[in-house]
Amino acid sequence: AEVASLRQQLAASSAAHAPPVAHAAAAPAPAEEAPAGEAAGEDSGAAHGVAWGWLIGVALLALAAGFALGWLVLDARIRRRYGGLRIY
């Protein structure tokens, strides 16, 4: 009886979260309704919230910080090994 009850609850919850069939079969919007400046089918990335300028800037900053940190660690290891002398 408990298994049957749980199966009914599962069926009810999956039916509530399923997308409507009529909505999925709807025809695509005509090309006239596309936003100004965009051709039909183009994806500028702005719809997904991607700020490419910020992403590239952060990546370059992380690369520079990693390079500087690596340089400092290498310098400290070499100076410790050779008694304070910088040997490059």
Side-chain angles (χ1 to χ4, degrees):
E2 185 179 345
V3 173
S5 170
L6 291 174
R7 285 186 181 163
Q8 287 177 347
Q9 288 177 358
L10 178 64
S13 67
S14 64
H17 295 296
V21 177
H23 178 63
E32 294 86 38
E33 294 179 15
E38 288 186 17
E42 273 187 34
D43 186 15
S44 64
H48 300 291
V50 178
W52 290 105
W54 282 99
L55 185 66
I56 291 171
V58 168
L60 289 175
L61 184 64
L63 181 68
F67 181 79
L69 185 63
W71 184 281
L72 291 174
V73 169
L74 180 65
D75 182 52
R77 289 182 66 184
I78 289 173
R79 291 181 83 185
R80 189 175 345 126
R81 176 177 276 176
Y82 292 106
L85 296 175
R86 285 189 173 148
I87 309 235
Y88 293 104

